[in-house]
Amino acid sequence: MSDASGQGTAQPLLPDGRWRQQFRRRLTAWFDNHARDLPWRRSRDPYAIWLSEIMLQQTQVATVKPYFERFLGALPTIEALARAEEQQVLRLWEGLGYYRRARQLHKAAQVIQAEHSGMFPRDREVVRRLPGIGRYTAGAILSIAFDAREPILEANTFRLFSRLLALRGSPKPTEDERVLWAMAEAVLPRREVGRFNQALMELGSTVCTPRSPQCSECPAATMCRTNAEGLQERIPMPKAKPAFVQRREVAVVVRRRGGVLLVRCAEGQRWAGLWDFPRFEVHSEGPAALSDEIRENVRRLTGLVVEPGRRLTTFKHGVTRYRITLDCFEARCVPGAGRGSSALETRWIPLDELDRYPLSTTGRKLAEWIGSR
């Protein structure tokens, strides 16, 4: 066995060659019998694998499946994605969240089309320079699509390797990460690397789970230092739960001749690139003060002078660390008031065309609420 830190410190030792050989054999045999039938596993097309890896970031497999199949059906090649309008890409992504992923995917496809003739590159450093692709994603794509000998480290394998090594966590997370990357590289086989990496992620996702791992079902249970010490609930060290912030927002439905006003979220805003009803945070309590706040914010965002009307409905939802109460009001434009400068791009949309525009989840709910009345 060798010292992972190279300095004789308290960092865990990486397993020796015999341990690694046995681990590979057990893991691949287990995967042969337990691999889930996932749509992105039916192809070695780097585009499909890349799309799945981006969609799976911070998103559950069950959620991704229908999005993956719909997206690939509409835009089946890198060239098709590169030539698509951003609005189509975002509409296909709508509801999946973390929309920056979709925009970076689109930009990366345009780079590949322009600089690599639409062929996904095989050079690791070239791949890592593409928008939205980091070390893990590059390794996953290259190993699965091309069987390149590339290590991976994402949430599931981070947890799996931490437990195998009984890595308790240290005041220097970057050092822990360095150890785990070394582990990810050390266990790689010489052949069928992509399948091995998928097996690692599968084991972490379905057996070595964050809470109550199924150690009795794990092919490496007798090889796991954490299992031997009974520390499954303490390794990896649980992250501190974020403090949620309560926030009150208003969305405004401004109507005109059978249509409604939408604004396009700007760069740097939540849901950048998507369309939404004029929306903003509010702080007023009384009805009169709230009406004034609505008038001021609608004018700032759209340049329009409106008269707020009744409250239509209320949605409650979460975005990152915020717990949001969204009150939805209707408003009418004040005749003859003219129009000032607008902070955001605006567009009047007929109700029967709202389905063509990518909206936030609550924006879509509000659009459907309006359409059902």
Side-chain angles (χ1 to χ4, degrees):
M1 301 180 75
S2 60
D3 188 341
S5 69
Q7 299 176 351
T9 68
Q11 288 290 357
L13 302 177
L14 293 187
D16 61 21
R18 181 177 297 179
W19 186 101
R20 298 198 297 268
Q21 184 179 32
Q22 186 178 15
F23 176 72
R24 294 184 199 109
R25 186 169 58 249
R26 290 189 184 188
L27 179 65
T28 52
W30 173 86
F31 191 61
D32 287 343
N33 293 317
H34 295 86
R36 289 172 291 179
D37 180 21
L38 302 176
W40 45 88
R41 288 183 178 163
R42 301 169 195 160
S43 170
R44 296 291 291 269
D45 177 6
Y47 171 54
I49 294 164
W50 170 34
L51 175 63
S52 71
E53 289 297 335
I54 299 299
M55 285 188 166
L56 286 164
Q57 292 172 3
Q58 299 178 285
T59 309
Q60 297 294 321
V61 166
T63 302
V64 167
K65 281 183 182 179
Y67 280 93
F68 173 83
E69 293 175 324
R70 184 169 64 247
F71 196 104
L72 205 59
L75 302 172
T77 64
I78 291 175
E79 180 180 3
L81 174 57
R83 297 187 186 284
E85 295 291 332
E86 184 182 88
Q87 295 298 283
Q88 181 187 8
V89 176
L90 290 173
R91 184 66 181 93
L92 289 166
W93 202 275
E94 184 185 302
L96 197 56
Y98 302 100
Y99 293 94
R100 187 165 178 261
R101 295 179 298 174
R103 303 181 78 201
Q104 290 181 325
L105 182 80
H106 189 211
K107 291 176 182 176
Q110 292 172 334
V111 172
I112 295 171
Q113 185 63 29
E115 299 181 9
H116 304 283
S117 302
M119 302 294 290
F120 197 92
R122 294 191 178 210
D123 183 273
R124 176 201 312 162
E125 297 308 316
V126 172
V127 173
R128 289 185 63 179
R129 287 197 294 269
L130 293 171
I133 296 184
R135 184 178 180 181
Y136 156 70
T137 305
I141 299 168
L142 294 174
S143 65
I144 297 170
F146 305 121
D147 207 36
R149 202 165 184 273
E150 295 286 346
I152 61 167
L153 186 66
E154 41 72 71
N156 292 309
T157 49
F158 185 102
R159 181 173 58 256
L160 175 62
F161 291 147
S162 293
R163 284 175 173 160
L164 289 170
L165 295 173
L167 183 63
R168 289 169 170 78
S170 73
K172 296 180 179 180
T174 54
E175 179 63 17
D176 291 347
E177 189 170 306
R178 191 186 69 79
V179 172
L180 295 177
W181 273 112
M183 176 68 167
E185 189 165 4
V187 297
L188 287 179
R190 295 189 180 277
R191 294 182 297 274
E192 295 190 345
V193 178
R195 185 167 179 77
F196 179 82
N197 279 340
Q198 290 180 83
L200 287 171
M201 291 187 283
E202 189 83 339
L203 186 64
S205 176
T206 63
V207 174
C208 195
T209 50
R211 296 287 174 266
S212 302
Q214 301 170 54
C215 297
S216 62
E217 306 297 322
C218 179
T222 59
M223 308 174 70
C224 177
R225 298 174 188 171
T226 293
N227 184 47
E229 297 177 27
L231 298 175
Q232 292 91 328
E233 298 300 328
R234 296 172 59 185
I235 296 176
M237 185 181 298
K239 293 182 179 179
K241 294 184 178 180
F244 294 119
V245 177
Q246 299 297 323
R247 181 180 172 108
R248 185 183 175 203
E249 296 182 358
V250 161
V252 184
V253 179
V254 186
R255 302 177 187 267
R256 187 183 74 173
R257 295 195 291 272
V260 293
L261 183 71
L262 295 185
V263 297
R264 191 174 186 186
C265 303
E267 291 289 341
Q269 285 189 317
R270 186 198 311 163
W271 305 313
L274 274 70
W275 293 84
D276 199 4
F277 297 90
R279 179 194 303 241
F280 38 84
E281 185 178 10
V282 294
H283 304 281
S284 302
E285 296 296 334
L290 180 58
S291 292
D292 287 342
E293 197 167 356
I294 291 173
R295 292 187 195 96
E296 177 185 344
N297 279 287
V298 171
R299 186 165 189 170
R300 173 179 60 84
L301 294 175
T302 72
L304 294 173
V305 178
V306 302
E307 185 57 38
R310 65 190 176 98
R311 184 179 65 82
L312 301 174
T313 187
T314 297
F315 299 118
K316 292 183 181 291
H317 67 112
V319 178
T320 59
R321 64 189 181 93
Y322 295 101
R323 294 296 176 263
I324 299 171
T325 299
L326 178 67
D327 290 320
C328 306
F329 286 82
E330 64 180 0
R332 63 178 181 85
C333 291
V334 176
R339 184 166 187 170
S341 60
S342 172
L344 298 174
E345 180 183 350
T346 63
R347 191 172 295 180
W348 291 100
I349 309 297
L351 288 177
D352 60 1
E353 293 184 14
L354 283 174
D355 193 56
R356 294 169 47 193
Y357 287 78
L359 303 175
S360 66
T361 299
T362 47
R364 182 62 61 194
K365 286 182 179 179
L366 181 53
E368 291 173 351
W369 190 95
I370 296 167
S372 67
R373 264 61 178 178

mmCIF file of all heavy atoms in Angstrom, residues 214-253:
data_model
loop_
_atom_site.group_PDB
_atom_site.id
_atom_site.type_symbol
_atom_site.label_atom_id
_atom_site.label_comp_id
_atom_site.label_asym_id
_atom_site.label_seq_id
_atom_site.Cartn_x
_atom_site.Cartn_y
_atom_site.Cartn_z
ATOM 1 N N GLN A 214 -27.047 0.249 1.544
ATOM 2 C CA GLN A 214 -27.392 -1.174 1.570
ATOM 3 C C GLN A 214 -26.103 -2.012 1.535
ATOM 4 O O GLN A 214 -25.782 -2.670 0.546
ATOM 5 C CB GLN A 214 -28.282 -1.495 0.380
ATOM 6 C CG GLN A 214 -29.568 -0.684 0.357
ATOM 7 C CD GLN A 214 -30.313 -0.853 -0.948
ATOM 8 O OE1 GLN A 214 -30.608 -1.975 -1.366
ATOM 9 N NE2 GLN A 214 -30.617 0.254 -1.592
ATOM 10 N N CYS A 215 -25.388 -1.994 2.627
ATOM 11 C CA CYS A 215 -24.086 -2.655 2.670
ATOM 12 C C CYS A 215 -24.192 -4.149 2.430
ATOM 13 O O CYS A 215 -23.277 -4.777 1.883
ATOM 14 C CB CYS A 215 -23.398 -2.373 4.003
ATOM 15 S SG CYS A 215 -23.045 -0.604 4.258
ATOM 16 N N SER A 216 -25.330 -4.752 2.810
ATOM 17 C CA SER A 216 -25.492 -6.187 2.602
ATOM 18 C C SER A 216 -25.595 -6.540 1.129
ATOM 19 O O SER A 216 -25.398 -7.705 0.750
ATOM 20 C CB SER A 216 -26.747 -6.688 3.332
ATOM 21 O OG SER A 216 -27.917 -6.049 2.816
ATOM 22 N N GLU A 217 -25.903 -5.545 0.277
ATOM 23 C CA GLU A 217 -26.013 -5.752 -1.164
ATOM 24 C C GLU A 217 -24.758 -5.321 -1.918
ATOM 25 O O GLU A 217 -24.683 -5.462 -3.131
ATOM 26 C CB GLU A 217 -27.220 -4.980 -1.716
ATOM 27 C CG GLU A 217 -28.532 -5.268 -1.025
ATOM 28 C CD GLU A 217 -28.960 -6.716 -1.191
ATOM 29 O OE1 GLU A 217 -28.734 -7.268 -2.291
ATOM 30 O OE2 GLU A 217 -29.497 -7.300 -0.233
ATOM 31 N N CYS A 218 -23.790 -4.785 -1.207
ATOM 32 C CA CYS A 218 -22.614 -4.204 -1.861
ATOM 33 C C CYS A 218 -21.564 -5.273 -2.147
ATOM 34 O O CYS A 218 -21.154 -6.014 -1.240
ATOM 35 C CB CYS A 218 -22.012 -3.119 -0.977
ATOM 36 S SG CYS A 218 -20.528 -2.354 -1.692
ATOM 37 N N PRO A 219 -21.068 -5.340 -3.379
ATOM 38 C CA PRO A 219 -20.041 -6.340 -3.709
ATOM 39 C C PRO A 219 -18.708 -6.064 -3.042
ATOM 40 O O PRO A 219 -17.858 -6.953 -2.971
ATOM 41 C CB PRO A 219 -19.930 -6.222 -5.232
ATOM 42 C CG PRO A 219 -20.351 -4.823 -5.544
ATOM 43 C CD PRO A 219 -21.438 -4.522 -4.553
ATOM 44 N N ALA A 220 -18.520 -4.845 -2.545
ATOM 45 C CA ALA A 220 -17.243 -4.484 -1.923
ATOM 46 C C ALA A 220 -17.371 -4.302 -0.415
ATOM 47 O O ALA A 220 -16.490 -3.703 0.210
ATOM 48 C CB ALA A 220 -16.703 -3.196 -2.565
ATOM 49 N N ALA A 221 -18.437 -4.823 0.178
ATOM 50 C CA ALA A 221 -18.677 -4.585 1.608
ATOM 51 C C ALA A 221 -17.526 -5.056 2.480
ATOM 52 O O ALA A 221 -17.124 -4.376 3.426
ATOM 53 C CB ALA A 221 -19.979 -5.268 2.030
ATOM 54 N N THR A 222 -16.976 -6.218 2.168
ATOM 55 C CA THR A 222 -15.898 -6.758 3.005
ATOM 56 C C THR A 222 -14.561 -6.068 2.740
ATOM 57 O O THR A 222 -13.594 -6.305 3.460
ATOM 58 C CB THR A 222 -15.731 -8.268 2.764
ATOM 59 O OG1 THR A 222 -15.434 -8.494 1.382
ATOM 60 C CG2 THR A 222 -16.998 -9.015 3.147
ATOM 61 N N MET A 223 -14.532 -5.193 1.721
ATOM 62 C CA MET A 223 -13.310 -4.471 1.370
ATOM 63 C C MET A 223 -13.370 -3.018 1.828
ATOM 64 O O MET A 223 -12.432 -2.259 1.597
ATOM 65 C CB MET A 223 -13.103 -4.522 -0.146
ATOM 66 C CG MET A 223 -13.156 -5.915 -0.740
ATOM 67 S SD MET A 223 -13.093 -5.898 -2.536
ATOM 68 C CE MET A 223 -11.389 -5.370 -2.796
ATOM 69 N N CYS A 224 -14.471 -2.638 2.462
ATOM 70 C CA CYS A 224 -14.749 -1.233 2.768
ATOM 71 C C CYS A 224 -14.347 -0.897 4.195
ATOM 72 O O CYS A 224 -14.849 -1.495 5.159
ATOM 73 C CB CYS A 224 -16.235 -0.965 2.556
ATOM 74 S SG CYS A 224 -16.756 0.704 2.980
ATOM 75 N N ARG A 225 -13.459 0.049 4.364
ATOM 76 C CA ARG A 225 -12.983 0.439 5.689
ATOM 77 C C ARG A 225 -14.095 1.060 6.527
ATOM 78 O O ARG A 225 -14.168 0.850 7.741
ATOM 79 C CB ARG A 225 -11.819 1.417 5.558
ATOM 80 C CG ARG A 225 -10.606 0.835 4.851
ATOM 81 C CD ARG A 225 -9.532 1.889 4.617
ATOM 82 N NE ARG A 225 -8.453 1.371 3.768
ATOM 83 C CZ ARG A 225 -7.477 2.120 3.267
ATOM 84 N NH1 ARG A 225 -7.435 3.429 3.535
ATOM 85 N NH2 ARG A 225 -6.540 1.583 2.517
ATOM 86 N N THR A 226 -14.967 1.832 5.877
ATOM 87 C CA THR A 226 -16.067 2.459 6.616
ATOM 88 C C THR A 226 -17.034 1.409 7.137
ATOM 89 O O THR A 226 -17.508 1.489 8.271
ATOM 90 C CB THR A 226 -16.804 3.468 5.721
ATOM 91 O OG1 THR A 226 -15.927 4.561 5.446
ATOM 92 C CG2 THR A 226 -18.063 4.002 6.390
ATOM 93 N N ASN A 227 -17.350 0.420 6.323
ATOM 94 C CA ASN A 227 -18.232 -0.666 6.761
ATOM 95 C C ASN A 227 -17.611 -1.419 7.931
ATOM 96 O O ASN A 227 -18.303 -1.773 8.896
ATOM 97 C CB ASN A 227 -18.511 -1.616 5.594
ATOM 98 C CG ASN A 227 -19.489 -2.715 5.947
ATOM 99 O OD1 ASN A 227 -20.533 -2.457 6.534
ATOM 100 N ND2 ASN A 227 -19.156 -3.948 5.595
ATOM 101 N N ALA A 228 -16.318 -1.640 7.863
ATOM 102 C CA ALA A 228 -15.633 -2.365 8.940
ATOM 103 C C ALA A 228 -15.705 -1.598 10.259
ATOM 104 O O ALA A 228 -15.794 -2.199 11.334
ATOM 105 C CB ALA A 228 -14.179 -2.613 8.557
ATOM 106 N N GLU A 229 -15.716 -0.262 10.168
ATOM 107 C CA GLU A 229 -15.726 0.560 11.381
ATOM 108 C C GLU A 229 -17.136 1.022 11.758
ATOM 109 O O GLU A 229 -17.314 1.690 12.782
ATOM 110 C CB GLU A 229 -14.825 1.783 11.174
ATOM 111 C CG GLU A 229 -13.358 1.409 10.948
ATOM 112 C CD GLU A 229 -12.493 2.630 10.671
ATOM 113 O OE1 GLU A 229 -12.859 3.732 11.136
ATOM 114 O OE2 GLU A 229 -11.464 2.489 9.983
ATOM 115 N N GLY A 230 -18.136 0.668 10.941
ATOM 116 C CA GLY A 230 -19.515 1.048 11.253
ATOM 117 C C GLY A 230 -19.769 2.542 11.203
ATOM 118 O O GLY A 230 -20.577 3.075 11.966
ATOM 119 N N LEU A 231 -19.115 3.223 10.279
ATOM 120 C CA LEU A 231 -19.207 4.685 10.220
ATOM 121 C C LEU A 231 -19.981 5.173 8.985
ATOM 122 O O LEU A 231 -19.793 6.300 8.538
ATOM 123 C CB LEU A 231 -17.798 5.288 10.206
ATOM 124 C CG LEU A 231 -16.937 5.014 11.444
ATOM 125 C CD1 LEU A 231 -15.526 5.560 11.225
ATOM 126 C CD2 LEU A 231 -17.576 5.659 12.674
ATOM 127 N N GLN A 232 -20.876 4.358 8.462
ATOM 128 C CA GLN A 232 -21.559 4.704 7.214
ATOM 129 C C GLN A 232 -22.341 6.017 7.310
ATOM 130 O O GLN A 232 -22.447 6.748 6.319
ATOM 131 C CB GLN A 232 -22.515 3.568 6.800
ATOM 132 C CG GLN A 232 -21.819 2.288 6.394
ATOM 133 C CD GLN A 232 -21.618 1.340 7.573
ATOM 134 O OE1 GLN A 232 -21.430 1.776 8.707
ATOM 135 N NE2 GLN A 232 -21.654 0.040 7.289
ATOM 136 N N GLU A 233 -22.908 6.305 8.460
ATOM 137 C CA GLU A 233 -23.706 7.524 8.600
ATOM 138 C C GLU A 233 -22.846 8.761 8.881
ATOM 139 O O GLU A 233 -23.355 9.875 8.902
ATOM 140 C CB GLU A 233 -24.750 7.357 9.709
ATOM 141 C CG GLU A 233 -25.768 6.250 9.447
ATOM 142 C CD GLU A 233 -26.585 6.475 8.174
ATOM 143 O OE1 GLU A 233 -26.834 7.652 7.840
ATOM 144 O OE2 GLU A 233 -26.964 5.485 7.518
ATOM 145 N N ARG A 234 -21.548 8.555 9.090
ATOM 146 C CA ARG A 234 -20.654 9.685 9.398
ATOM 147 C C ARG A 234 -19.654 9.962 8.285
ATOM 148 O O ARG A 234 -18.967 10.984 8.310
ATOM 149 C CB ARG A 234 -19.927 9.409 10.709
ATOM 150 C CG ARG A 234 -20.862 9.324 11.907
ATOM 151 C CD ARG A 234 -20.139 8.847 13.152
ATOM 152 N NE ARG A 234 -19.040 9.734 13.515
ATOM 153 C CZ ARG A 234 -18.190 9.490 14.510
ATOM 154 N NH1 ARG A 234 -18.314 8.376 15.221
ATOM 155 N NH2 ARG A 234 -17.217 10.326 14.781
ATOM 156 N N ILE A 235 -19.551 9.048 7.332
ATOM 157 C CA ILE A 235 -18.629 9.221 6.207
ATOM 158 C C ILE A 235 -19.428 9.075 4.914
ATOM 159 O O ILE A 235 -20.149 8.091 4.749
ATOM 160 C CB ILE A 235 -17.491 8.183 6.244
ATOM 161 C CG1 ILE A 235 -16.626 8.401 7.502
ATOM 162 C CG2 ILE A 235 -16.631 8.270 4.995
ATOM 163 C CD1 ILE A 235 -15.528 7.363 7.681
ATOM 164 N N PRO A 236 -19.293 10.036 3.993
ATOM 165 C CA PRO A 236 -18.569 11.294 4.172
ATOM 166 C C PRO A 236 -19.265 12.194 5.191
ATOM 167 O O PRO A 236 -20.435 12.004 5.481
ATOM 168 C CB PRO A 236 -18.592 11.931 2.771
ATOM 169 C CG PRO A 236 -19.434 11.078 1.919
ATOM 170 C CD PRO A 236 -19.925 9.927 2.678
ATOM 171 N N MET A 237 -18.520 13.154 5.674
ATOM 172 C CA MET A 237 -19.046 14.070 6.672
ATOM 173 C C MET A 237 -20.247 14.826 6.093
ATOM 174 O O MET A 237 -20.155 15.411 5.020
ATOM 175 C CB MET A 237 -17.961 15.070 7.088
ATOM 176 C CG MET A 237 -18.378 15.989 8.228
ATOM 177 S SD MET A 237 -17.043 17.151 8.632
ATOM 178 C CE MET A 237 -15.762 16.000 9.150
ATOM 179 N N PRO A 238 -21.399 14.773 6.754
ATOM 180 C CA PRO A 238 -22.577 15.461 6.218
ATOM 181 C C PRO A 238 -22.329 16.962 6.068
ATOM 182 O O PRO A 238 -21.669 17.584 6.908
ATOM 183 C CB PRO A 238 -23.662 15.188 7.268
ATOM 184 C CG PRO A 238 -23.178 13.993 8.031
ATOM 185 C CD PRO A 238 -21.679 14.088 8.021
ATOM 186 N N LYS A 239 -22.840 17.496 4.978
ATOM 187 C CA LYS A 239 -22.711 18.931 4.767
ATOM 188 C C LYS A 239 -23.692 19.686 5.651
ATOM 189 O O LYS A 239 -24.791 19.192 5.931
ATOM 190 C CB LYS A 239 -22.982 19.279 3.298
ATOM 191 C CG LYS A 239 -21.941 18.735 2.336
ATOM 192 C CD LYS A 239 -22.258 19.163 0.908
ATOM 193 C CE LYS A 239 -21.210 18.635 -0.063
ATOM 194 N NZ LYS A 239 -21.505 19.014 -1.470
ATOM 195 N N ALA A 240 -23.285 20.860 6.079
ATOM 196 C CA ALA A 240 -24.184 21.683 6.875
ATOM 197 C C ALA A 240 -25.390 22.086 6.033
ATOM 198 O O ALA A 240 -25.249 22.467 4.873
ATOM 199 C CB ALA A 240 -23.450 22.934 7.366
ATOM 200 N N LYS A 241 -26.567 21.957 6.602
ATOM 201 C CA LYS A 241 -27.773 22.320 5.880
ATOM 202 C C LYS A 241 -27.850 23.844 5.730
ATOM 203 O O LYS A 241 -27.604 24.571 6.689
ATOM 204 C CB LYS A 241 -29.009 21.808 6.608
ATOM 205 C CG LYS A 241 -29.110 20.292 6.638
ATOM 206 C CD LYS A 241 -30.390 19.840 7.290
ATOM 207 C CE LYS A 241 -30.494 18.308 7.273
ATOM 208 N NZ LYS A 241 -31.750 17.833 7.916
ATOM 209 N N PRO A 242 -28.178 24.314 4.523
ATOM 210 C CA PRO A 242 -28.240 25.757 4.323
ATOM 211 C C PRO A 242 -29.416 26.363 5.081
ATOM 212 O O PRO A 242 -30.453 25.719 5.282
ATOM 213 C CB PRO A 242 -28.451 25.891 2.809
ATOM 214 C CG PRO A 242 -29.113 24.620 2.406
ATOM 215 C CD PRO A 242 -28.542 23.558 3.308
ATOM 216 N N ALA A 243 -29.231 27.589 5.508
ATOM 217 C CA ALA A 243 -30.323 28.325 6.158
ATOM 218 C C ALA A 243 -31.221 28.900 5.066
ATOM 219 O O ALA A 243 -30.758 29.648 4.204
ATOM 220 C CB ALA A 243 -29.758 29.443 7.031
ATOM 221 N N PHE A 244 -32.480 28.524 5.082
ATOM 222 C CA PHE A 244 -33.404 28.992 4.060
ATOM 223 C C PHE A 244 -33.881 30.402 4.363
ATOM 224 O O PHE A 244 -34.095 30.776 5.519
ATOM 225 C CB PHE A 244 -34.596 28.049 3.937
ATOM 226 C CG PHE A 244 -34.226 26.691 3.413
ATOM 227 C CD1 PHE A 244 -34.437 25.549 4.178
ATOM 228 C CD2 PHE A 244 -33.656 26.560 2.166
ATOM 229 C CE1 PHE A 244 -34.086 24.291 3.692
ATOM 230 C CE2 PHE A 244 -33.300 25.310 1.667
ATOM 231 C CZ PHE A 244 -33.513 24.182 2.440
ATOM 232 N N VAL A 245 -34.032 31.172 3.304
ATOM 233 C CA VAL A 245 -34.469 32.566 3.419
ATOM 234 C C VAL A 245 -35.871 32.680 2.840
ATOM 235 O O VAL A 245 -36.110 32.295 1.691
ATOM 236 C CB VAL A 245 -33.502 33.503 2.655
ATOM 237 C CG1 VAL A 245 -33.998 34.942 2.726
ATOM 238 C CG2 VAL A 245 -32.086 33.377 3.208
ATOM 239 N N GLN A 246 -36.788 33.193 3.646
ATOM 240 C CA GLN A 246 -38.155 33.414 3.163
ATOM 241 C C GLN A 246 -38.182 34.678 2.303
ATOM 242 O O GLN A 246 -37.586 35.696 2.657
ATOM 243 C CB GLN A 246 -39.123 33.565 4.344
ATOM 244 C CG GLN A 246 -39.197 32.341 5.234
ATOM 245 C CD GLN A 246 -39.729 31.114 4.522
ATOM 246 O OE1 GLN A 246 -40.629 31.204 3.685
ATOM 247 N NE2 GLN A 246 -39.159 29.958 4.842
ATOM 248 N N ARG A 247 -38.868 34.584 1.180
ATOM 249 C CA ARG A 247 -38.884 35.702 0.245
ATOM 250 C C ARG A 247 -40.284 35.814 -0.357
ATOM 251 O O ARG A 247 -40.914 34.807 -0.695
ATOM 252 C CB ARG A 247 -37.848 35.433 -0.862
ATOM 253 C CG ARG A 247 -37.693 36.511 -1.920
ATOM 254 C CD ARG A 247 -36.630 36.060 -2.909
ATOM 255 N NE ARG A 247 -36.538 36.935 -4.079
ATOM 256 C CZ ARG A 247 -35.545 37.773 -4.312
ATOM 257 N NH1 ARG A 247 -34.554 37.852 -3.458
ATOM 258 N NH2 ARG A 247 -35.532 38.509 -5.409
ATOM 259 N N ARG A 248 -40.752 37.051 -0.503
ATOM 260 C CA ARG A 248 -42.060 37.287 -1.096
ATOM 261 C C ARG A 248 -41.874 37.985 -2.434
ATOM 262 O O ARG A 248 -41.154 38.980 -2.525
ATOM 263 C CB ARG A 248 -42.915 38.161 -0.177
ATOM 264 C CG ARG A 248 -44.351 38.354 -0.677
ATOM 265 C CD ARG A 248 -45.109 39.280 0.240
ATOM 266 N NE ARG A 248 -46.436 39.573 -0.266
ATOM 267 C CZ ARG A 248 -47.141 40.646 0.059
ATOM 268 N NH1 ARG A 248 -46.625 41.542 0.906
ATOM 269 N NH2 ARG A 248 -48.345 40.846 -0.446
ATOM 270 N N GLU A 249 -42.506 37.432 -3.473
ATOM 271 C CA GLU A 249 -42.409 38.017 -4.804
ATOM 272 C C GLU A 249 -43.796 38.182 -5.402
ATOM 273 O O GLU A 249 -44.766 37.567 -4.948
ATOM 274 C CB GLU A 249 -41.556 37.125 -5.721
ATOM 275 C CG GLU A 249 -40.102 37.008 -5.280
ATOM 276 C CD GLU A 249 -39.259 36.168 -6.233
ATOM 277 O OE1 GLU A 249 -39.810 35.634 -7.225
ATOM 278 O OE2 GLU A 249 -38.045 36.047 -5.983
ATOM 279 N N VAL A 250 -43.846 39.016 -6.433
ATOM 280 C CA VAL A 250 -45.084 39.256 -7.165
ATOM 281 C C VAL A 250 -44.824 39.034 -8.645
ATOM 282 O O VAL A 250 -43.782 39.447 -9.169
ATOM 283 C CB VAL A 250 -45.621 40.685 -6.919
ATOM 284 C CG1 VAL A 250 -46.607 41.114 -7.997
ATOM 285 C CG2 VAL A 250 -46.270 40.775 -5.546
ATOM 286 N N ALA A 251 -45.749 38.343 -9.314
ATOM 287 C CA ALA A 251 -45.752 38.238 -10.773
ATOM 288 C C ALA A 251 -47.008 38.952 -11.269
ATOM 289 O O ALA A 251 -48.080 38.823 -10.663
ATOM 290 C CB ALA A 251 -45.746 36.788 -11.222
ATOM 291 N N VAL A 252 -46.878 39.693 -12.362
ATOM 292 C CA VAL A 252 -47.974 40.536 -12.834
ATOM 293 C C VAL A 252 -48.391 40.108 -14.235
ATOM 294 O O VAL A 252 -47.553 40.021 -15.151
ATOM 295 C CB VAL A 252 -47.568 42.017 -12.834
ATOM 296 C CG1 VAL A 252 -48.768 42.894 -13.242
ATOM 297 C CG2 VAL A 252 -47.057 42.442 -11.460
ATOM 298 N N VAL A 253 -49.672 39.857 -14.392
ATOM 299 C CA VAL A 253 -50.255 39.522 -15.689
ATOM 300 C C VAL A 253 -50.847 40.793 -16.280
ATOM 301 O O VAL A 253 -51.892 41.264 -15.833
ATOM 302 C CB VAL A 253 -51.335 38.434 -15.559
ATOM 303 C CG1 VAL A 253 -51.941 38.125 -16.930
ATOM 304 C CG2 VAL A 253 -50.748 37.178 -14.925
#
